Amino acid sequence: MRKLIIATTNKGKFREMSKALEELPLQIIPLPSHIYVEEGEESYWENAARKAMKAVEMFGEIALADDSGLEVLSLGGFPGSRSKRIGQTDEERINTILRMLEGKGWEEREAIFRCVIAIATPDGRLERAEGIVRGYIAYEPKGEGGFGYDPIFFLPEKGKTMAELDVEEKNAISHRGKALKEAKKILQRLCNECK
Ligand code: IMP
């Protein structure tokens, strides 16, 4: 069976990705060792593509990587591709956003999660998949599931934060789940081509 390297050291991302891709005829492998790819000021796509290509270069197998971020509409899309850099820990990052929105009503709390996935192959192909989910920044964190900003990302149609969903429920509606649905089709095609 061919291998697929999931180029992330984030356990939450790995859990969601391996669950969504489990039916593929590919052996899903976590990143065997840390690869350091500096995330620059570039776009989500450039960061994801760099990570996936680096993993292919190191391990010689198909690789998938993502770059994602939170975009608060009333803050002009902030923090966006800087989502990881606005604090040292998830708690600090959450508090940064909550402070910036202090005293603001729901209409100023509208937000998007965006995920861009890159799939790179040893024969030099590079494919892209993308997904978004719309929600609101909650007034306080709630829920123990997920990771990152999930405890403050409120989904009005569920009446819950993203952190109150289990991995399958999150994948069914999330930015990453949507991108992974596209990625699964691309990987299926790549598998068929190399038969
Ligand atoms: P990156 O894609 O690893 O660069 O993530 C950027 C920031 O967004 C990190 O602080 C992540 O914890 C956060 N993040 C990425 N994906 C999610 C998600 O699905 N839910 C909540 N936070 C996320």
Side-chain angles (χ1 to χ4, degrees), residues 69-81:
L70 177 71
E71 301 174 7
V72 181
L73 273 52
S74 67
L75 302 177
F78 183 86
S81 55

Side-chain angles (χ1 to χ4, degrees), residues 2 62 189-195:
R2 285 201 72 171
I62 304 175
R189 171 166 51 78
L190 293 174
C191 289
N192 293 340
E193 282 171 14
C194 65
K195 264 184 193 152

Side-chain angles (χ1 to χ4, degrees), residues 111-167:
I112 288 173
F113 261 140
R114 191 183 300 277
C115 170
V116 177
I117 286 179
I119 297 166
T121 69
D123 62 1
R125 274 182 286 181
L126 190 58
E127 306 261 4
R128 171 182 178 140
E130 185 164 348
I132 65 162
V133 58
R134 295 177 188 279
Y136 291 84
I137 302 300
Y139 286 85
E140 56 189 36
K142 203 167 172 205
E144 304 294 325
F147 66 96
Y149 295 100
D150 282 344
I152 55 163
F153 196 82
F154 183 74
L155 301 153
E157 69 280 13
K158 297 255 176 211
K160 289 177 178 174
T161 68
M162 198 84 102
E164 294 180 279
L165 307 181
D166 66 30
V167 70

Side-chain angles (χ1 to χ4, degrees), residues 79-186:
S81 55
R82 278 170 285 170
S83 292
K84 200 144 83 195
R85 277 173 275 155
I86 62 167
Q88 298 290 324
T89 61
D90 284 341
E91 194 185 349
E92 269 183 38
R93 290 184 273 267
I94 282 177
N95 286 333
T96 303
I97 296 296
L98 289 180
R99 261 198 315 274
M100 290 177 84
L101 294 177
E102 220 160 64
K104 308 246 192 260
W106 284 110
E107 67 288 354
E108 288 181 272
R109 293 177 164 263
E110 208 177 336
I112 288 173
F113 261 140
R114 191 183 300 277
C115 170
V116 177
I117 286 179
I119 297 166
T121 69
D123 62 1
R125 274 182 286 181
L126 190 58
E127 306 261 4
R128 171 182 178 140
E130 185 164 348
I132 65 162
V133 58
R134 295 177 188 279
Y136 291 84
I137 302 300
Y139 286 85
E140 56 189 36
K142 203 167 172 205
E144 304 294 325
F147 66 96
Y149 295 100
D150 282 344
I152 55 163
F153 196 82
F154 183 74
L155 301 153
E157 69 280 13
K158 297 255 176 211
K160 289 177 178 174
T161 68
M162 198 84 102
E164 294 180 279
L165 307 181
D166 66 30
V167 70
E168 285 179 70
E169 289 170 321
K170 181 177 171 186
N171 269 349
I173 55 148
S174 76
H175 53 319
R176 185 166 301 100
K178 290 174 188 163
L180 284 165
K181 221 167 160 184
E182 290 303 306
K184 194 174 169 186
K185 289 186 207 153
I186 294 167

